[in-house]
Amino acid sequence: MMNWTKWKEVFKNRKFCILLAAELLLAILCVTSMFKRQVTVMPPVDGTPFHLEAGTYMVQITYTTSQDTNVFVLEDTVDGTKAVRFGNITLGRGDNEENCELWVLRDTDHVTAYAINGGDAALNISQLKIITTSADSRIMLFLILICSALFDTLFIFYWYDRKYGISLQNKLVWSVLGVAFVLMSVPCMVDYNLWGDDWGFHVLRVEGLISGFRDGQFPVRIQGNWLGGYGYAASVFYSDLFLLIPALFRVIGFAVSASYNMFLIVINLATLMIAYQCFRRIFKDQWAGTVSAVLYCVSAYRIHDIYVRAAIGEALAMTFLPLIFYGFYQIFTGDRSRRGYRYSWLPVTLGLTGVIQSHVLTCEMLAFCILLLCLVLIRKVFIKETFWELCKAAVMTLLWNLWYLVPFLDYYLNEKFNVGHLETMAFPWIQVRGIFPAHLLFIFYGGGTKADMEVFGMNWTGAFSVGAALMLVVLAWVYLEFAARIGKSDFAGRKLGRLAFCYTLMAFVLTSSYFPWDWLQSRSKFLEMLITSLQFPYRFLAIACLSASVLAGVLLLYLRERGSVVTFGQALTGLLILALFFHVYQIDDLLSSHGIVRVYNKQSMGTAYVSNGEYLPYQADTSLMYRNRVIEGEGVNVMGYEKAADTLRMKMSVINGGAESYVELPVLYYRGYTAKDLNTGQSLQVEAGGNSAVRVLLPAGYSGEFQLSFQEPVYWRAAEVISLAAIGGGIGIFLKRRKRRVICYEEAKS
Amino acid sequence: MEVKNKRQRNIIFVLGVLFLYLSTPLTMDYIPASEHLGLYFLDKPGARGPFLYLLVWLQGTGLSRLACCRLYLLAANFMTLISSSYCFYRISGNVYAGMAGSFCYSFSVYSMYIRYSRGSLGEVTAFIFLPFLLYGLWELYQKPVSARRYYVWILPVSLGLLGVCVSHIPTAVIVLEFMFLAALLLWRKTFRRQTFLALTAAVAPVLLIFALWWFPYLREIPAGGVYADLESGLSFSDRSLPVTQMLLSFLGRDQNLGTPVAAQEYCGLGLPFLGILAAGLLWIILDRKRENTECKRTLGFLIGISIFSILLSTTWIPWSRVESLHWFLRALLEYVGYPFRYTVVAVLLLSVAVSLVGGMIWSRGKKAMALFLAIVTVLNVLSGVYLMNAQIYTSPRSESIDAGERYVEMDHLFYLGE
C-alpha cells in the first residue's frame, strides 16, 4: 500500500514536526508529574464524609479480625462509581495490612470509609491511610502515547495520500477493517466487564503474574495471590506470556476492569490484522482476504468465546490459527525452487507457539487436524523440501516452547493433580456437552450463556455455531459441489475449497452430541486422558470458523472468475453486510441482557476462583485453605512469621523444643519449594502435609528463622536457556530474510 | 439437457436447504411445544382422522412419543414443501417463482406458530393439502372451459378438500367459507356451466363423505362448546388478535399486547406478507401505465381476500354480535375455534401472490430474479426463521409429551380441532 522509503519524508513536513513536538512536551509534563510530592490523608473510618481530590491513591488499611466475614467499604455516597472506584474489600482473618488501589475521577466531598462487621467481635481497624500515587501520571502518559500514535498514523496516511495517492481499493479495505474492528470491540467500550464463566480465573491470573514477579520469579511458575495466599500453579499449566499485556496495563495503573477491556481490544486487533494479512497472502486478493478476515473475527463462536465465556485462552489461540493455516499453505503449495521457500516453517512455528502459549487444549485439537492434513497430503509430505520444512517447523516449535513445555510435562507426568483424574473433573463424560445440529442452523444468537444442553436444551443457549454468514458460505459450497459441479471444473481453488469444506464438516460432526465421544473415551486410558481434557466438544467450532472463513475466500475467488448471476462485488458486499448485521444483533442482545461486573482493585475480586481446580494437588480441599493457617507440630512453637497476602515468600521464626517435628504453612505444596535457614544457610526438608499444604520438617532442637521460596529445578532453567537461544536464532533469521527482501526489492526497482 | 439437469439439481438443492431449516427444531432431543403434543396419544373417543392415527400407529411399533412426533413433523414439513412448490410453480409458470412462494408459505410466521408454538398437528397436516385445493380452483377458473381435459382439475380440488377435511376441521370450515365467498365474487366464471358442474362434482362428494364420517361424532360433542378454552370463560370474540399484532414485523420475543390465550402472541403475518401487501397495493394504486391489467386484477383479488381474512382474525370484527345473530353462526364459529385461524387464507393467497410476482419478474431477466429471490429470502429469514429461532431460544426444555390436564379430564376429544 505504501512505499516505506517514501513515508520517512513526512519528517520534513513542518506541521508533522510541530505535532510531534507538542506530543513530546505533553509526555515530558506527564513524566515530571510522576515525581510530585506524596500526600497522605488520614480519614475517619466511621462513615463520616471526607474530601478527596481527583487522582490515584493507595489505601493502606491496618486491621485485626478473627473471621473472614468482615468487609471494608470506601465509596462516594452521591456519585458512586462516577467519582470513586474502589470496591468492597474482604478483610482476611489475623493481623494484616492491605494496600488497595483507589481511583478518584473528580474532586469530591462525599467519600466515606467504613467497615461492615460480619459478626466478628475482634474486628478492629487500627489505621487507615490514603496516600497519593503517580498512577494517574502513568495512565496519562500511556494515553498520550496511544493517542499520539493514532494521530500520527492518521496524519501520515493523510499526508501520503495527498502527496502520492492511496488507491480507492486500499482505502475501502482499511475502512471495512476499521469498521469491523470497532464493531467487534463495542462491548469493551463500557466501564465494566461482561461477566463470563472464566472471567474471574483470568483476571486472577493477571494479578498472579504481577505477584509472581514481586516474588522474584522469572518466568512466573507459582502465582502467590490465589486461595488467600496459598498459591496456585496456574502458570505452569497455562502459559501467561500474553497476559503480560494486561499485567502491563495494571502496573501502569489501570483498574482491573479497564485493563481487561483494553486487553480484549488488543486481542480483537491482533486477530483481525493477523487474519487479514494471512488470508490476503493466501488468496492473493485484498478483498477476499478482507472478507475472510472479517467473517472469521465476527463469527458467532469467537464472539461468544471472548465476551460470554471469557475464554481468553481459547480466543487468543484463535488469533493464531490463520497464521498456522497460512504457514502450512506455504509449505504445501509454495514454490520449492524459490529461495524464500526455506523460511516457510516460520509462520507455522510462530502460529503454533502463539497457540501453545495461549491455550494448550487448542493444541490438542490442532495436533489432530495437522496429522489429518499430513495424511491427506501424504505424497507432498515426503517431498524432500516439504518434509524438511515440516521438520524445521516441528523442531523449532518445540525448542521455542521448551521453557513452558518442560515444567508442564514434568508436573503433569510426575506429580498428581486433579487434571487427568476422572473423578475430580467437572465434566468426566463430554458427549453430553455436545451441541445439536440445530445449533449450527440457528442464526439469531444473542447473549445466551447456557451450555448444559441436557438440562436447558437450547433455552438461552450460547452461540455454538459459526454464524449466519459462514453458514451461508458452507451452503453455497454445497451448491457449487452438487449443482454447479465445481469438482469437474478447472477452477484453481477447488482443491483448497474442498479441503476447507471437509474440515468444516468434520468439525461440525465432532462438535455434535451424536458423535460417540463417550464410547471413544472408554476404549483406552490414553483416549480418556485426551478426551476428558477437551471438556467440551464445541471447542472444535474454532477450527470450523477458520476453515469456513477460508472457504469464503475461495468462494469469492470462484465468483471473481466465473460469477454470472451473482458477481464478486455483490457477493462480498452481501457477505460483509450479513456478517456485520448478525454480529451487531448478537452484541446488542449481549449488552442488554448479560451480567456485568465492576472490579477495580485486586482485593475486591477474591482469590478463590480456581474454576474447576484442575491444577490443585490431587483432592486438595480449598475450603480448608484460609489465610494465616499455620499448624505447629508437636513441640514446635512459632514465634512469628511474615508473609504478604499475595506473594509466596515467607519468613518464619520457630523453636522446636522436642524431637524431629514440623510446621505446616498456609502455602499449597508444589515440587520446587525450598526452606533455608536465614542465619546458617541450612536447607530444611519440604514436603506435602495435610491437605497438600507445605510442611517444613524441623530437626530436633531447631531454633531459628527460615525463609520459604519457590526455586525452579535446574533442568527447567536449561529449557529456558535453550528456548531463548532458539528464539534468538529465529529473530536473526527473520531479520536476515527481511534484509534480503529489501535488497531484492531495491535491486528490482533499480 | 445439461441446463435441464442443472435446473433439477438447483431445485433439489433449494428444497433440501428449505427442508433442513424448516426442520431445525427437530434435530434436538426434544421438540418445542411438546407439551401440546401429548393429547394426540390419548386413548379417548373423538374424531381423529386417518393422518393423526399415524401417530398412534407409530407409537405401537415401539417408537417413543418424541420419535413419533419428530417423524410425523419431518414428513409433514417435507410434504408441505413439495406440495406448495409444485402447485405454486404450476400456478406461476416458473419453478423459481414457485419455490419463492413455497418458501413464504412454509416459513410463514403462521406456519412456524402452528408447528413449534401451538403443536397443532392437524393444522400442520392441512397445510399440505391447501396448495392442491388452490391449484385445482385456479385451473378451473383460469383455464378456458373449452380446454381439453378441463374436468381433470376436479381431482386436485377434491383431494385437497378431502385432505383438509380429514386433517383439521376448523381449517376445512374456513376454507369452505372462503370458497363460497370467492365463488360469489367470481360469479360470472362460477356460473359457467362447465365450471359450476366441475365445482359441484369436486365439492359435493367430499362433503358427503365427510358428513357421513363426521355425523356420529356430532352427538358426542357436548352442547355449549367444543374447546376447552371456553371453560375458562373465553368466547370466540375474546380469542381475537389485536390488529397491531398482525402488523408486527418481528414476532418471537415476549410482547405485551394483552393477548388472552397463551402463546397466541406469536401468531401474525410476518414481513414477507406485509411486504407483498404493501408493494402490491402500491403498484395497483399508483401504476398509471395500465399494463398487465389481468395480472393486476388477479393480484388485487388475492390481496383483497387476504386483507379480509386478516381482518377476520382481529378484534375489529364484532364477533360477539355475529355469534348472537343465529345459532348456526355460533356453532360454525365454535368449529373454527380461534379467529386467528382465518390467517391461513391470507398465508395461502399471499404466497401465491409472491409466486405470481416472481413469475412476472422472471421475464425481466436473471439478475432481476436473483434480486427478487434475495429479497424474499431476507424477509423470510427476518420473520419466520427469526420466530422459529426465538421459540427455540426462549422455550424451556421439555421432554415430556404428556397431555395437559384439561384434555385428560375431558370425555371426548376434538383431535381434529386442536
Side-chain angles (χ1 to χ4, degrees), chain A residues 438 448 453 458-460 479, chain B residues 9-10 21 27 30 389 393 397:
Chain A
M453 265 60 84
M458 283 186 71
N459 181 221
W460 201 242
Y479 173 77
Chain B
R9 289 197 294 267
N10 285 349
Y21 269 90
T27 62
Y30 66 100
N389 278 196
Y393 203 58
R397 179 196 172 96

Side-chain angles (χ1 to χ4, degrees), chain A residues 436-438 441-444 447-448 453-461 475 479 482-483 485 514 564 585, chain B residues 6 9-10 12-13 20-21 24 27-30 253 367 370 381-382 385-386 389 392-397:
Chain A
F436 301 124
L441 300 171
F442 198 95
I443 56 177
F444 286 95
M453 265 60 84
E454 75 277 16
V455 175
F456 298 103
M458 283 186 71
N459 181 221
W460 201 242
T461 182
L475 289 173
Y479 173 77
F482 176 69
R485 298 279 201 242
Y514 300 115
S564 55
Y585 180 89
Chain B
K6 191 178 175 194
R9 289 197 294 267
N10 285 349
I12 294 171
F13 175 77
L20 188 65
Y21 269 90
T24 298
T27 62
M28 304 188 295
D29 62 357
Y30 66 100
R253 301 295 176 100
K367 286 194 188 284
V381 164
L382 289 177
V385 175
Y386 177 77
N389 278 196
I392 296 172
Y393 203 58
T394 56
S395 306
R397 179 196 172 96

Side-chain angles (χ1 to χ4, degrees), chain A residues 22-37 133-145 252:
Chain A
E23 288 162 1
L24 188 64
L25 186 64
L26 280 172
I28 290 169
L29 280 170
C30 281
V31 169
T32 49
S33 71
M34 282 186 213
F35 301 100
K36 65 187 177 210
R37 195 171 54 90
T133 64
S134 59
D136 50 355
S137 302
R138 294 196 301 270
I139 290 170
M140 191 54 66
L141 179 62
F142 177 82
L143 292 174
I144 284 170
L145 289 173
I252 288 171

